[in-house]
Amino acid sequence: MSVGIRHDDLRRRNRAMVIAAVRRAGQPSRTEIAATTSLSHSTISAISSDLIVEGILTESKPSEAGSLKRGRPQVGLSLNPEAAAVMTVVLSLNFLSVAVIDYAGQVISEEQRRLDTLTMSRESLIGECTAIVRRRLADPDLDVRSIARIAVAIQGITDTRARAMLWSPITPHTDIAFADIFEDEFGIPAIMENDCNMMAVALRWRDPDRYRDDFIAILLSHGIGMGLVLKGELFTGTHSSGGEFGHMIHRPNGALCRCGRRGCVEAYAGNYAIWRNARQMGEDAEPVADVSDADMRALAAAAREGDGPEREAYRKAGEALGYGLGSLFALIDPAPVAMVGVSAAAFDLIEPALRQAIAQTAGGQHSKSISFDTEPNELPLIREGCAMRALIFVDQEIFAPGVQARSGFGGKNVA
Amino acid sequence: MSVGIRHDDLRRRNRAMVIAAVRRAGQPSRTEIAATTSLSHSTISAISSDLIVEGILTESKPSEAGSLKRGRPQVGLSLNPEAAAVMTVVLSLNFLSVAVIDYAGQVISEEQRRLDTLTMSRESLIGECTAIVRRRLADPDLDVRSIARIAVAIQGITDTRARAMLWSPITPHTDIAFADIFEDEFGIPAIMENDCNMMAVALRWRDPDRYRDDFIAILLSHGIGMGLVLKGELFTGTHSSGGEFGHMIHRPNGALCRCGRRGCVEAYAGNYAIWRNARQMGEDAEPVADVSDADMRALAAAAREGDGPEREAYRKAGEALGYGLGSLFALIDPAPVAMVGVSAAAFDLIEPALRQAIAQTAGGQHSKSISFDTEPNELPLIREGCAMRALIFVDQEIFAPGVQARSGFGGKNVA
DNA sequence: CAGTATTTTTTCGAGGCTCGAAAAAATAGA
DNA sequence: TCTATTTTTTCGAGCCTCGAAAAAATACTG
């Protein structure tokens, strides 16, 4: 462990730094990059002229129209969209979505497809995934060689090495190494990520002011998922994608969860749990396979209508989420929360009980100051997160290569 | 954010790397250091000769007696004990302990003292702490100028900046900035750390094989504390020392906790909770201020004697700890656990219920493979952790200084 | 419209760092 | 005493970043 820094690593790291600065800032001038990286102008000049020659960056016209200043106008540097491309594959319950994204982050082409993921065989699930990717790669407008990376996101648990799905609620099959499958099939490096982690990555890029170093993204969907960024890094478990917030225990020996255990947060706050409680089916009732978004919206509407089992179901969901968040906050301290997914649209029904519960916990000391944001649609977020993950891989591993070991330094999990 | 690497940072980082290699390995030769750091022999030679001239390292006799090999014998490098010294201050319930440690990690001098921390005024608590440090500094055998760092550990919550105790169960007073107080008083840089975090740091140095990158140290004492190392880094909250495992919610609206809330893990597993249950005082009974170690040992003996309220009390403690660990493992995946403190000596009474509970949780899937270790005495561990923390500060900030910003690189929390 | 002030970017030499190769040092075996 | 072997040091080469100065590109000024 703890490897020293070779002399040639210097350039590599600083190249990566410049690329990262451009990706973050959009069209920064060399002077701005020098300021944010605290490297000298000479160094930035040298590195960026290399990157331009290599076709990674391009010079764009003076960044702002209102160049009211005197002096030589700044020349904006931007990512060359044609430098590379990446592909995202998002697999969720009964739905498969693929997109090709250029180096600057714009969607070039996409395709979506309904599947019956719960009943498909292992082979046909894999087959559908590879087929849709193959169709995209066959696009005549696309230079296949430019695709530098495939990022796959799935609802479920993935391994830390980002190679395989270990378990997922959307299919009975386990341990599918999608990353390896795509690499073998297409010869393109691939990674396999957890959907909620990708949501968190995307939120950070969308709104870096709110979602800076520490925040939580919670997916309120059929199941409950979480993506967590701590100290600027995506938080993952020691072996898996981790962060199984939905399966923290809310009530020992409580309601039956989809995972087969009892008393998980999800067994009170997942769509199926809200549905079960609203229909007064009892906590032991087998979770239903799926509840349509329309049904959930109808449920929320009924709950808003007046007091009754629907409203009580949302109250219980809020309570479970509140105690769960309280326990989480006991571990990590409070942080901004983004609620994502269908039931985030019903957050008005969830919030009161949630805040009341969180106030009972150690982490909820300043419960009023904990702020929630809602975003009803998770799919675009997941795709954006995948795209950024893949693009940053290209930035670091392809356009600034040459470092052997990652231990000690090398922010691998930087969201 | 994300600062580039200056040319002069190179030497600084590699110096730090060499010092760290020596601290880890004990008496490594230059060749061994070159191997572990993957720097060239020339570089190691240059850096180590600098460090020797500066009095930071010394050459020791050939590392092993059995130099059966041919060739020129290796020269061991070791830390010069006189290069610097650090002081540790450990403040726990009714007890204050101070030690001076040389640069190589050996205790030079120490002093311990009983206090009535629960009833002392703020001023006298601070006064006792500064007085004991002053007495140690007055030791004629000690060169005061060599003291490069004071590390203070306290049971309770500290801030992420390692300046202040925010809240502690050992005193009614809050927000005492011990680090600032010591710095102002003695002009020596100081840090304020959480006791359980220091336990984790110490475990990692004691047994790097078992406690490598991911593990958990749990203090089973009057209260329940936790120190957590994830991916080789000490885990802290976003604002505070965090990791308040003892105040995760075990049962909503459950037993009364010392913190004033209800249903915390500690309200079932802290010494006062075990005592309360064993004495059948009811879950609403006000927690007692302190239970002596002797009383706890008697309780454990009674529990081992036969079935009864004592045994049931330990069972409840195990259940709470098990569900809590299960929820924690849902977030971070399972990892080795060290149980520290008086009640760790009664772990035989706790373990069955703990394992049974953990098996009910998502994190406990492989509950049999989760391994527990016990260590009944927390104080030496805390002191060792403090010492290592302080020494590593000296290694990095004093003997390899010169880096301005830490963002991006700079492993601040490396245990 | 020419000249001046101002700001950005590039150029160039200096200084430092790591590296590889070769030399020097230090020991065990023959 | 000589040779083989291993560790450590020495030395020149090659990069990299930096600061200063030059070059480039614009706005202002009279």
Side-chain angles (χ1 to χ4, degrees):
Chain A
M1 55 183 89
S2 72
V3 160
I5 305 187
R6 326 286 281 309
H7 197 222
D8 24 329
D9 293 347
L10 252 184
R11 215 0 164 352
R12 182 264 173 194
R13 289 176 196 279
N14 287 338
R15 265 174 77 101
M17 217 60 95
V18 170
I19 297 175
V22 176
R23 189 170 289 288
R24 244 193 300 271
Q27 285 201 333
S29 69
R30 291 168 176 80
T31 312
E32 281 164 16
I33 298 174
T36 61
T37 58
S38 81
L39 293 168
S40 74
H41 289 197
S42 350
T43 303
I44 299 302
S45 181
I47 292 176
S48 49
S49 93
D50 283 358
L51 292 173
I52 290 170
V53 169
E54 294 170 44
I56 297 169
L57 298 185
T58 51
E59 291 193 331
S60 39
K61 285 299 101 193
S63 56
E64 292 297 282
S67 59
L68 299 167
K69 290 185 299 184
R70 273 214 189 172
R72 177 172 174 173
Q74 302 189 345
V75 180
L77 294 177
S78 45
L79 301 166
N80 178 4
E82 295 169 14
V86 299
M87 187 177 267
T88 65
V89 179
V90 179
L91 187 54
S92 43
L93 187 61
N94 297 335
F95 200 74
L96 176 60
S97 150
V98 174
V100 178
I101 285 122
D102 71 25
Y103 188 58
Q106 297 301 310
V107 176
I108 311 176
S109 104
E110 57 180 315
E111 181 176 345
Q112 307 191 330
R113 204 174 162 76
R114 300 216 135 267
L115 303 176
D116 196 356
T117 55
L118 279 171
T119 59
M120 289 173 83
S121 75
R122 186 186 180 92
E123 289 67 35
S124 53
L125 181 64
I126 296 173
E128 286 284 353
C129 291
T130 51
I132 200 172
V133 169
R134 186 173 298 111
R135 272 199 300 281
R136 279 306 96 212
L137 290 174
D139 190 327
D141 297 342
L142 185 72
D143 178 9
V144 177
R145 290 163 305 174
S146 71
I147 305 279
R149 183 78 156 176
I150 301 176
V152 191
I154 194 168
Q155 200 175 327
I157 301 178
T158 60
D159 69 321
T160 349
R161 294 172 48 244
R163 309 306 305 161
M165 175 272 274
L166 302 177
W167 178 89
S168 169
I170 70 163
T171 170
H173 313 294
T174 59
D175 297 291
I176 307 182
F178 278 107
D180 295 332
I181 290 169
F182 284 121
E183 284 187 6
D184 291 349
E185 189 79 21
F186 304 109
I188 299 171
I191 42 166
M192 165 98 258
E193 298 273 6
N194 167 272
D195 60 342
C196 292
N197 285 344
M198 293 305 97
M199 285 176 5
V201 170
L203 284 168
R204 195 157 192 250
W205 282 95
R206 273 199 187 174
D207 187 351
D209 282 335
R210 178 173 162 84
Y211 302 109
R212 188 179 297 275
D213 287 339
D214 304 287
F215 65 91
I216 304 169
I218 292 186
L219 177 63
L220 300 178
S221 172
H222 196 64
I224 303 293
M226 178 178 74
L228 185 56
V229 170
L230 291 178
K231 305 200 170 68
E233 285 208 3
L234 191 58
F235 181 88
T236 60
T238 59
H239 304 305
S240 74
S241 46
E244 286 296 311
F245 173 73
H247 300 284
M248 290 178 76
I249 301 295
H250 171 45
R251 290 184 183 277
N253 278 310
L256 182 62
C257 179
R258 191 172 47 152
C259 71
R261 299 182 198 83
R262 293 188 158 273
C264 305
V265 169
E266 186 180 297
Y268 298 87
N271 285 352
Y272 66 85
I274 298 175
W275 179 264
R276 184 168 63 184
N277 280 331
R279 291 279 173 278
Q280 296 179 290
M281 299 159 75
E283 293 193 339
D284 295 341
E286 196 66 31
V288 295
D290 195 6
V291 185
S292 74
D293 286 7
D295 282 345
M296 286 311 294
R297 277 191 289 267
L299 210 63
R304 288 193 191 94
E305 201 77 6
D307 214 346
E310 292 88 357
R311 186 173 289 183
E312 175 63 11
Y314 279 105
R315 201 198 59 74
K316 281 189 177 156
E319 186 182 77
L321 290 168
Y323 275 111
L325 273 177
S327 283
L328 181 60
F329 287 163
L331 295 174
I332 66 162
D333 297 328
V337 179
M339 292 289 185
V340 185
V342 197
S343 288
F347 190 65
D348 56 314
L349 294 163
I350 292 172
E351 186 169 7
L354 187 154
R355 286 197 182 272
Q356 206 179 330
I358 217 174
Q360 308 292 314
T361 68
Q365 282 165 319
H366 319 284
S367 79
K368 270 170 205 132
S369 71
I370 300 169
S371 75
F372 296 92
D373 225 9
T374 62
E375 164 59 56
N377 203 351
E378 70 264 29
L379 259 166
L381 266 184
I382 298 171
R383 184 166 85 185
E384 264 178 63
C386 276
M388 293 317 302
R389 263 275 143 138
L391 288 171
I392 285 170
F393 167 85
V394 176
D395 291 351
Q396 295 185 348
E397 306 297 319
I398 301 189
F399 290 159
V403 162
Q404 66 294 39
R406 69 273 173 71
S407 81
F409 303 92
K412 218 191 71 176
N413 252 338
V414 168
Chain B
M1 55 182 89
S2 73
V3 160
I5 304 187
R6 324 289 278 310
H7 197 215
D8 24 332
D9 293 349
L10 251 184
R11 213 5 164 348
R12 183 263 172 193
R13 289 177 196 278
N14 287 339
R15 267 174 76 102
M17 217 58 95
V18 170
I19 297 175
V22 176
R23 190 170 287 288
R24 245 193 297 273
Q27 285 201 334
S29 69
R30 293 168 174 81
T31 311
E32 282 165 16
I33 298 174
T36 60
T37 59
S38 83
L39 292 168
S40 73
H41 288 197
S42 350
T43 304
I44 300 300
S45 181
I47 292 176
S48 49
S49 94
D50 281 0
L51 292 172
I52 290 170
V53 168
E54 294 170 44
I56 297 169
L57 298 184
T58 52
E59 291 192 332
S60 39
K61 285 300 99 191
S63 55
E64 293 297 284
S67 57
L68 299 166
K69 290 183 298 184
R70 273 215 190 171
R72 176 171 176 174
Q74 303 189 347
V75 179
L77 294 177
S78 46
L79 301 166
N80 179 3
E82 295 170 13
V86 299
M87 190 178 267
T88 64
V89 179
V90 179
L91 187 53
S92 44
L93 187 60
N94 298 335
F95 200 73
L96 174 60
S97 149
V98 174
V100 178
I101 285 122
D102 71 25
Y103 188 57
Q106 297 301 309
V107 176
I108 311 177
S109 105
E110 57 179 313
E111 181 176 345
Q112 308 191 330
R113 206 176 161 74
R114 300 216 135 267
L115 302 175
D116 196 356
T117 55
L118 281 169
T119 58
M120 289 173 83
S121 75
R122 186 186 181 93
E123 288 66 36
S124 52
L125 181 64
I126 296 174
E128 285 285 352
C129 292
T130 51
I132 199 171
V133 169
R134 185 173 298 112
R135 272 199 301 281
R136 280 307 97 212
L137 291 173
D139 189 328
D141 297 341
L142 186 73
D143 177 9
V144 177
R145 289 162 305 173
S146 71
I147 305 279
R149 183 78 154 178
I150 301 175
V152 191
I154 195 168
Q155 200 176 326
I157 302 178
T158 59
D159 68 322
T160 348
R161 292 174 48 244
R163 308 305 304 161
M165 174 273 275
L166 302 176
W167 178 89
S168 169
I170 71 163
T171 172
H173 312 294
T174 60
D175 297 290
I176 307 184
F178 278 107
D180 296 331
I181 290 169
F182 284 120
E183 284 189 5
D184 291 349
E185 190 78 19
F186 304 110
I188 299 171
I191 43 166
M192 165 98 258
E193 298 274 5
N194 168 273
D195 59 342
C196 290
N197 285 344
M198 294 306 96
M199 283 177 7
V201 169
L203 284 169
R204 193 153 194 254
W205 282 96
R206 275 200 187 174
D207 187 352
D209 282 334
R210 177 172 164 85
Y211 303 109
R212 189 179 299 274
D213 288 340
D214 305 287
F215 65 91
I216 305 169
I218 292 186
L219 177 62
L220 301 178
S221 171
H222 197 64
I224 303 293
M226 178 179 73
L228 184 56
V229 170
L230 290 178
K231 304 199 171 70
E233 284 209 3
L234 193 57
F235 181 89
T236 60
T238 59
H239 302 306
S240 74
S241 47
E244 285 296 311
F245 173 73
H247 300 285
M248 290 178 75
I249 300 295
H250 171 45
R251 291 185 184 276
N253 277 312
L256 182 61
C257 180
R258 193 171 46 152
C259 71
R261 299 182 197 85
R262 291 188 160 274
C264 304
V265 170
E266 185 179 298
Y268 297 89
N271 284 353
Y272 65 86
I274 298 175
W275 180 264
R276 185 168 62 184
N277 281 330
R279 292 278 173 276
Q280 297 178 288
M281 297 159 77
E283 293 194 337
D284 295 340
E286 196 67 30
V288 295
D290 195 6
V291 185
S292 73
D293 287 6
D295 283 345
M296 286 310 294
R297 277 190 288 266
L299 211 62
R304 288 192 192 95
E305 199 78 6
D307 214 347
E310 292 89 358
R311 186 174 290 183
E312 174 65 12
Y314 279 104
R315 200 199 59 73
K316 280 190 177 152
E319 186 182 76
L321 290 169
Y323 276 111
L325 273 177
S327 284
L328 180 60
F329 286 163
L331 295 174
I332 65 163
D333 295 327
V337 180
M339 293 288 185
V340 186
V342 197
S343 288
F347 189 63
D348 56 314
L349 295 162
I350 292 173
E351 187 169 6
L354 189 155
R355 287 198 182 270
Q356 207 181 329
I358 217 174
Q360 308 291 315
T361 67
Q365 283 166 316
H366 318 285
S367 80
K368 268 168 208 135
S369 72
I370 299 169
S371 75
F372 297 91
D373 223 8
T374 60
E375 164 60 57
N377 203 349
E378 71 264 29
L379 259 166
L381 268 183
I382 299 172
R383 184 166 84 186
E384 264 178 64
C386 275
M388 293 317 302
R389 261 278 142 135
L391 288 170
I392 285 171
F393 167 86
V394 176
D395 291 351
Q396 295 186 346
E397 306 297 318
I398 301 190
F399 290 157
V403 161
Q404 66 293 41
R406 71 274 174 70
S407 81
F409 304 92
K412 219 190 71 174
N413 253 339
V414 169

